[in-house]
PDB file of all heavy atoms in Angstrom:
ATOM      1  N   ILE A 171      19.868  30.351   7.365  1.00  0.00           N
ATOM      2  CA  ILE A 171      18.737  29.585   6.859  1.00  0.00           C
ATOM      3  C   ILE A 171      18.541  29.969   5.405  1.00  0.00           C
ATOM      4  O   ILE A 171      18.331  31.147   5.079  1.00  0.00           O
ATOM      5  CB  ILE A 171      17.454  29.861   7.674  1.00  0.00           C
ATOM      6  CG1 ILE A 171      17.670  29.458   9.128  1.00  0.00           C
ATOM      7  CG2 ILE A 171      16.267  29.119   7.088  1.00  0.00           C
ATOM      8  CD1 ILE A 171      16.496  29.768  10.033  1.00  0.00           C
ATOM      9  N   LEU A 172      18.615  28.981   4.527  1.00  0.00           N
ATOM     10  CA  LEU A 172      18.582  29.213   3.090  1.00  0.00           C
ATOM     11  C   LEU A 172      17.390  28.479   2.490  1.00  0.00           C
ATOM     12  O   LEU A 172      17.123  27.326   2.826  1.00  0.00           O
ATOM     13  CB  LEU A 172      19.892  28.722   2.466  1.00  0.00           C
ATOM     14  CG  LEU A 172      20.126  28.945   0.979  1.00  0.00           C
ATOM     15  CD1 LEU A 172      21.611  29.203   0.729  1.00  0.00           C
ATOM     16  CD2 LEU A 172      19.694  27.719   0.182  1.00  0.00           C
ATOM     17  N   THR A 173      16.673  29.139   1.613  1.00  0.00           N
ATOM     18  CA  THR A 173      15.528  28.517   0.949  1.00  0.00           C
ATOM     19  C   THR A 173      15.499  28.908  -0.523  1.00  0.00           C
ATOM     20  O   THR A 173      15.943  29.993  -0.901  1.00  0.00           O
ATOM     21  CB  THR A 173      14.201  28.929   1.627  1.00  0.00           C
ATOM     22  OG1 THR A 173      13.117  28.303   0.948  1.00  0.00           O
ATOM     23  CG2 THR A 173      13.998  30.438   1.586  1.00  0.00           C
ATOM     24  N   GLY A 174      15.003  27.991  -1.340  1.00  0.00           N
ATOM     25  CA  GLY A 174      14.888  28.231  -2.781  1.00  0.00           C
ATOM     26  C   GLY A 174      14.254  27.035  -3.459  1.00  0.00           C
ATOM     27  O   GLY A 174      14.030  25.992  -2.841  1.00  0.00           O
ATOM     28  N   ARG A 175      13.964  27.195  -4.730  1.00  0.00           N
ATOM     29  CA  ARG A 175      13.379  26.109  -5.521  1.00  0.00           C
ATOM     30  C   ARG A 175      14.496  25.311  -6.178  1.00  0.00           C
ATOM     31  O   ARG A 175      15.280  25.871  -6.959  1.00  0.00           O
ATOM     32  CB  ARG A 175      12.435  26.665  -6.586  1.00  0.00           C
ATOM     33  CG  ARG A 175      11.211  27.376  -6.017  1.00  0.00           C
ATOM     34  CD  ARG A 175      10.249  27.779  -7.133  1.00  0.00           C
ATOM     35  NE  ARG A 175      10.900  28.661  -8.098  1.00  0.00           N
ATOM     36  CZ  ARG A 175      10.995  29.973  -7.968  1.00  0.00           C
ATOM     37  NH1 ARG A 175      10.487  30.568  -6.885  1.00  0.00           N
ATOM     38  NH2 ARG A 175      11.591  30.707  -8.876  1.00  0.00           N
ATOM     39  N   PRO A 176      14.598  24.006  -5.906  1.00  0.00           N
ATOM     40  CA  PRO A 176      15.663  23.208  -6.512  1.00  0.00           C
ATOM     41  C   PRO A 176      15.515  23.126  -8.023  1.00  0.00           C
ATOM     42  O   PRO A 176      14.411  23.020  -8.561  1.00  0.00           O
ATOM     43  CB  PRO A 176      15.491  21.828  -5.878  1.00  0.00           C
ATOM     44  CG  PRO A 176      14.678  22.058  -4.659  1.00  0.00           C
ATOM     45  CD  PRO A 176      13.788  23.216  -4.966  1.00  0.00           C
ATOM     46  N   ALA A 177      16.654  23.210  -8.701  1.00  0.00           N
ATOM     47  CA  ALA A 177      16.689  23.077 -10.158  1.00  0.00           C
ATOM     48  C   ALA A 177      18.032  22.502 -10.531  1.00  0.00           C
ATOM     49  O   ALA A 177      19.060  22.831  -9.929  1.00  0.00           O
ATOM     50  CB  ALA A 177      16.480  24.426 -10.844  1.00  0.00           C
ATOM     51  N   ALA A 178      18.034  21.624 -11.527  1.00  0.00           N
ATOM     52  CA  ALA A 178      19.293  21.029 -11.982  1.00  0.00           C
ATOM     53  C   ALA A 178      20.148  22.083 -12.660  1.00  0.00           C
ATOM     54  O   ALA A 178      19.660  22.894 -13.458  1.00  0.00           O
ATOM     55  CB  ALA A 178      19.009  19.878 -12.946  1.00  0.00           C
ATOM     56  N   ALA A 179      21.419  22.097 -12.336  1.00  0.00           N
ATOM     57  CA  ALA A 179      22.337  23.057 -12.966  1.00  0.00           C
ATOM     58  C   ALA A 179      22.471  22.760 -14.447  1.00  0.00           C
ATOM     59  O   ALA A 179      22.517  21.611 -14.873  1.00  0.00           O
ATOM     60  CB  ALA A 179      23.707  22.999 -12.281  1.00  0.00           C
ATOM     61  N   ARG A 180      22.541  23.818 -15.245  1.00  0.00           N
ATOM     62  CA  ARG A 180      22.650  23.641 -16.690  1.00  0.00           C
ATOM     63  C   ARG A 180      24.057  23.216 -17.056  1.00  0.00           C
ATOM     64  O   ARG A 180      25.029  23.826 -16.605  1.00  0.00           O
ATOM     65  CB  ARG A 180      22.285  24.941 -17.399  1.00  0.00           C
ATOM     66  CG  ARG A 180      20.826  25.328 -17.219  1.00  0.00           C
ATOM     67  CD  ARG A 180      20.494  26.587 -18.003  1.00  0.00           C
ATOM     68  NE  ARG A 180      21.224  27.728 -17.480  1.00  0.00           N
ATOM     69  CZ  ARG A 180      20.795  28.487 -16.475  1.00  0.00           C
ATOM     70  NH1 ARG A 180      19.659  28.208 -15.879  1.00  0.00           N
ATOM     71  NH2 ARG A 180      21.508  29.518 -16.065  1.00  0.00           N
ATOM     72  N   PRO A 181      24.208  22.169 -17.899  1.00  0.00           N
ATOM     73  CA  PRO A 181      25.547  21.732 -18.292  1.00  0.00           C
ATOM     74  C   PRO A 181      26.246  22.778 -19.140  1.00  0.00           C
ATOM     75  O   PRO A 181      25.609  23.533 -19.880  1.00  0.00           O
ATOM     76  CB  PRO A 181      25.267  20.440 -19.076  1.00  0.00           C
ATOM     77  CG  PRO A 181      23.863  20.583 -19.561  1.00  0.00           C
ATOM     78  CD  PRO A 181      23.144  21.362 -18.511  1.00  0.00           C
ATOM     79  N   GLY A 182      27.558  22.814 -19.050  1.00  0.00           N
ATOM     80  CA  GLY A 182      28.344  23.729 -19.849  1.00  0.00           C
ATOM     81  C   GLY A 182      28.470  25.123 -19.263  1.00  0.00           C
ATOM     82  O   GLY A 182      29.084  25.996 -19.870  1.00  0.00           O
TER      83      GLY A 182
END
Side-chain angles (χ1 to χ4, degrees):
I171 299 176
L172 184 146
T173 180
R175 296 186 301 274
R180 294 183 295 273

